[in-house]
Every structure is written in C-alpha cells, then in structure tokens.
Amino acid sequence: MKNLWTPWRRAYVSGTGEQSSGCVLCEALARRGEPDSLVLHVGVRSFVLMNLYPYNSGHLMIAPREHVADLSRVAPEVLSELMQLTQLAERVLSRRYRPHGFNLGMNLGRAAGAGVPDHLHLHLVPRWEADTNFMAVFGEVRVIPEDLREAARELREEFLRETAGAG
Ligand SMILES: [Zn+2]
C-alpha cells in the first residue's frame, strides 16, 4: 500500500485552500504550482486536470475555475472556454495516447454519480477497442500508480506545446 496517494487528505489537514475548503478541484487549482500537481492547463475561466481516480489512462477533467455546482448558472463565456479546453484536451490526448474513441460527460449531483457534486466538471476519458475496465480492476481501492504524476508532467508539456502553436 506504499503507493496509496492521498494529496487531498493532506490538503484538508493543512487547510490552506483559497476557498470552499474541502473541494478537491479548488484545492487542486490553488496548488497547481506544486511538483505533484495534477493540473495540466489553466485558462482564463476554466482549467484541465488529471483525475486522481482514473477510469482509464489519460482520464482528464475540465472544470470552471469558479466553484460552481449548477450548470444553469454557468456564464456563456465560461461554457465556451470549457468546450475549447475540452477540444484542446482531446487533441493532446489523441497525440499522447492515440485512443480509438472518447467518453465525454458530466455527472450532475451526487445521485448521478458525481464524486465532487459542488464543483461541476466534464470528464474526458480515452477509450481503446480492447481496453479493460479500470474500475473493474481497482474497484473502490483508491491506489494510484506512481506514474500518474509522471503522466501529468508529460501531459503538461503537451498542453504547453499545443497552446504555443508549435504542434
Ligand atoms: Zn471547488
């Protein structure tokens, strides 16, 4: 169990969140400069991060920077950037992982399966023809392979490359 990785719990304990203490997305955004950060790209109103509990390799989340739960309250310019960052994330994942397809979606509310019901976010999950169901393998055991952080470093560079127009 030495790879059990609980940065969010550490965040709760230290209590240094900018706002909405206990929100893993706000905490992640606030700690984006740290070496272990899973945040890959920060836009004007939205940001992209890796899912700490991935369904598959390259499972990303795209969320507003604002702590907001209700889709109907999200401003048009925020929605627009959410989708633009989703496009960007799709390009990056396509280049890095060469998936055969993607799942893209939102779980709104805990009853719908949202793990972070108070801060809405899109899930973007690369899929392969023959992929195994990650959840079936790991179930509720929240053990994250060490290479998640390495993957985050690589993907951050890919986002930089894409947004620099070099790619
Ligand atoms: Zn939040």
Side-chain angles (χ1 to χ4, degrees), residues 1-3 7 31 34 42 58-59 73 80 88 97 108 111 113 115 122 128 134 150 153:
M1 293 296 278
K2 66 181 177 184
N3 286 337
R31 294 163 167 272
E34 297 186 2
V42 179
H59 181 170
R73 290 171 190 257
S80 174
L88 175 63
Y97 293 105
L108 297 174
L122 283 155
W128 291 264
F134 209 85
E150 181 56 36
R153 280 190 283 273

Side-chain angles (χ1 to χ4, degrees), residues 7-9 11-12 16-31 47 49 63-69 115-121:
W8 312 131
R9 188 172 305 156
Y12 296 145
T16 54
E18 283 177 344
Q19 57 171 324
S20 307
S21 61
C23 173
V24 295
L25 294 179
C26 287
E27 292 282 357
L29 184 62
R31 294 163 167 272
F47 69 110
L49 73 165
R65 291 175 63 164
E66 181 190 0
H67 182 84
V68 56
V116 187
D118 297 332
H119 193 148
L120 73 86
H121 50 282

Side-chain angles (χ1 to χ4, degrees), residues 54-127:
Y55 176 80
N56 221 342
S57 294
H59 181 170
L60 303 188
M61 300 188 294
I62 305 97
R65 291 175 63 164
E66 181 190 0
H67 182 84
V68 56
D70 193 345
L71 181 61
S72 65
R73 290 171 190 257
V74 177
E77 60 268 27
V78 178
L79 289 177
S80 174
E81 198 191 28
L82 270 179
M83 291 315 294
Q84 286 165 14
L85 291 190
T86 302
Q87 283 184 316
L88 175 63
E90 185 198 20
R91 281 203 300 275
V92 165
L93 291 176
S94 293
R95 175 170 301 180
R96 176 67 179 79
Y97 293 105
R98 307 212 176 278
H100 301 127
F102 289 94
N103 289 113
L104 173 64
M106 304 179 89
N107 302 322
L108 297 174
R110 199 177 288 284
V116 187
D118 297 332
H119 193 148
L120 73 86
H121 50 282
L122 283 155
H123 291 270
L124 181 62
V125 184
R127 301 302 301 266

